[in-house]
Amino acid sequence: MKKYIIKGGNKLAGEVSVSGTKNVVLKAIIAACLTDEVVEIKNVPLISDFFIMLELVKEIGGKVKLSGHTVKIEVKKIKTTRIPLEMGAKIRTSSMMAAPLLARRGEALIPNPGGCRIGARPIDRHMEGLMRLGVESRYSSNDGYFHLKTKELRGTTYRFSKNTHTGTEFLILAAVLADGTTTIENAAEEPEIDDLIALLNQMGANIKRKKARTIVITGVAKLHGTSYTIMADRNEVVTFAVLSALTDGKIYIKNVEMENIKAFLSEFKAAGGIWEEKKQGVRFYMKNGIKPRDITTSAHPGFMTDWQGPWAIFMTQAKGVSTIHETVYESRFGYYEELTKMGAALEMFTPKVSAPEK
């Protein structure tokens, strides 16, 4: 059994390059399956989910060539429209393979997706959107599969009743090769979605964000290959920023896109944090201790739910009481018991929320 032994009490110094973001690379792999030409994806993070998705590409008949942090994907012909149950259970993104399977073969067998257990993550909105595009959907509890079929994907207008990052990407991927125009309303506006849009447009798609939460996709007959470098992972940036600030260190973080972490920067500054941008990267540090803060997680452009774990550790060293109100996933405080074992003074509570249905 693998384990890590950490001896604390050291200042951290040096330079680190931020990996490409997981939330783009997994969707970029699916985008590559929408064409029969070679798609080269650069700056890929070498994480377990990435390798599972590559195995999924090979499962449906694709070829994969990985060299360092660059992968080339070619799916000349889709040989099977069934995603194995065991692979679907490993990773949530597996369900999004329905997009290329439906677009290129007109059918898909997709298992109920797995993934990390941070709370309820239903895909009913995804399936409802697919049906609006002309897909017949039936879930069988006997085999655990969604049985999807379509004679032709057709453009539609669909409004998400509740904002969804993955759902927005799913419908974009399904609509790029549909006949006609698709308008997605109340779409998510995370920068990772815009990075996926940029990749698809470079492959020949016609996608425009008309307003912050409205995306219009004009279907095209065919996509082609391309070479694309995915954006840096802003979750990784925030993790290293907190590490540097907590250890009185001098970590210079490369490839930081400051515009994408504005909500974090605002809270970090209010907590007494300082940053400096130099040629070797961005350094985050403290001068006069850490001030307590009350934060509420939300969809972009708010404070990301992914950031609240590192932020909680940051606030254990603040002079006073801080609160974190999680509004996205109900099981995001899985670290609570582990931190209390290490001496953190944490207390769980449920605050009263006005108009909770909104």
Side-chain angles (χ1 to χ4, degrees):
M1 180 178 176
K2 182 185 287 186
K3 63 181 177 181
Y4 295 97
I5 300 173
I6 300 101
K7 295 181 179 179
N10 299 313
K11 291 185 178 181
L12 300 180
E15 299 176 6
V16 62
S17 293
V18 179
S19 305
T21 178
K22 164 192 171 182
N23 282 334
V24 174
V25 70
L26 303 184
K27 315 329 170 19
I29 291 171
I30 294 167
C33 298
L34 287 165
T35 177
D36 58 5
E37 297 182 17
V38 177
V39 175
E40 181 182 61
I41 309 168
K42 299 179 180 179
N43 195 33
V44 301
L46 304 179
I47 57 176
S48 58
D49 283 5
F50 168 73
F51 290 108
I52 293 170
M53 287 302 294
L54 293 188
E55 288 303 312
L56 205 50
V57 171
K58 290 188 270 188
E59 180 71 25
I60 67 170
K63 294 181 180 178
V64 172
K65 186 177 181 182
L66 179 64
S67 177
H69 288 268
T70 298
V71 65
K72 291 183 179 180
I73 296 172
E74 183 181 29
V75 187
K76 277 195 173 297
K77 186 177 180 182
I78 293 177
K79 295 180 180 179
T80 179
T81 58
R82 180 183 178 274
I83 302 301
L85 271 171
E86 61 275 13
M87 297 185 79
K90 289 179 180 178
I91 184 170
R92 180 170 173 76
T93 321
S94 61
S95 65
M96 299 176 75
M97 269 294 183
L101 297 179
L102 287 167
R104 295 181 61 182
R105 289 285 300 271
E107 62 180 26
L109 274 170
I110 305 293
N112 227 340
C116 48
R117 304 304 178 196
I118 54 178
R121 308 171 84 187
I123 63 170
D124 54 325
R125 289 167 286 170
H126 308 193
M127 292 303 159
E128 187 179 317
L130 280 182
M131 288 189 282
R132 293 286 289 275
L133 285 167
V135 177
E136 295 178 18
S137 174
R138 178 179 62 85
Y139 179 72
S140 172
S141 57
N142 292 326
D143 61 13
Y145 275 88
F146 287 93
H147 296 247
L148 308 172
K149 285 187 177 181
T150 183
K151 292 181 179 179
E152 180 186 42
L153 291 170
R154 302 184 302 273
T156 187
T157 296
Y158 183 75
R159 180 178 181 83
F160 283 109
S161 57
K162 183 181 179 183
N163 188 264
T164 162
H165 185 151
T166 308
T168 298
E169 293 169 320
F170 191 17
L171 277 198
I172 290 172
L173 289 162
V176 287
L177 293 175
D179 182 31
T181 300
T182 298
T183 301
I184 304 174
E185 298 175 346
N186 195 28
E189 53 179 323
E190 279 75 9
E192 289 85 358
I193 292 174
D194 289 332
D195 208 41
L196 175 63
I197 289 173
L199 164 61
L200 288 166
N201 282 341
Q202 200 167 295
M203 292 172 64
N206 185 350
I207 310 168
K208 295 177 182 176
R209 190 183 283 276
K210 292 292 186 180
K211 298 177 183 176
R213 293 201 176 276
T214 302
I215 298 173
V216 178
I217 306 111
T218 303
V220 296
K222 185 177 173 63
L223 295 178
H224 54 72
T226 192
S227 178
Y228 190 80
T229 303
I230 63 172
M231 64 180 279
D233 193 324
R234 54 199 179 120
N235 298 337
E236 194 172 313
V237 171
V238 167
T239 302
F240 280 117
V242 168
L243 259 176
S244 183
L246 282 177
T247 62
D248 190 26
K250 290 186 178 180
I251 302 176
Y252 286 96
I253 310 169
K254 299 179 180 180
N255 310 328
V256 181
E257 296 173 41
M258 301 293 275
E259 184 68 22
N260 292 338
I261 58 168
K262 286 175 71 174
F264 168 78
L265 293 176
S266 176
E267 292 295 341
F268 185 72
K269 182 178 180 180
I274 304 168
W275 60 88
E276 59 179 0
E277 298 181 56
K278 292 189 174 183
K279 284 185 178 180
Q280 64 263 51
V282 185
R283 178 195 168 206
F284 294 83
Y285 62 100
M286 313 300 296
K287 253 193 175 179
N288 299 308
I290 303 170
K291 300 174 185 176
R293 297 291 299 162
D294 298 335
I295 65 159
T296 299
T297 64
S298 64
H300 187 79
F303 195 96
M304 281 186 73
T305 177
D306 305 70
W307 298 340
Q308 60 102 324
W311 186 264
I313 297 171
F314 187 44
M315 286 296 103
T316 64
Q317 304 306 301
K319 297 174 182 177
V321 177
S322 305
T323 64
I324 298 174
H325 183 186
E326 173 62 38
T327 70
V328 182
Y329 293 117
E330 68 272 19
S331 300
R332 264 291 193 194
F333 292 113
Y335 56 79
Y336 168 78
E337 290 185 3
E338 306 308 318
L339 283 186
T340 55
K341 289 178 185 177
M342 298 176 72
L346 307 180
E347 180 184 342
M348 294 288 289
F349 70 102
T350 302
K352 290 184 178 180
V353 180
S354 60
E357 69 280 357
K358 292 183 180 180

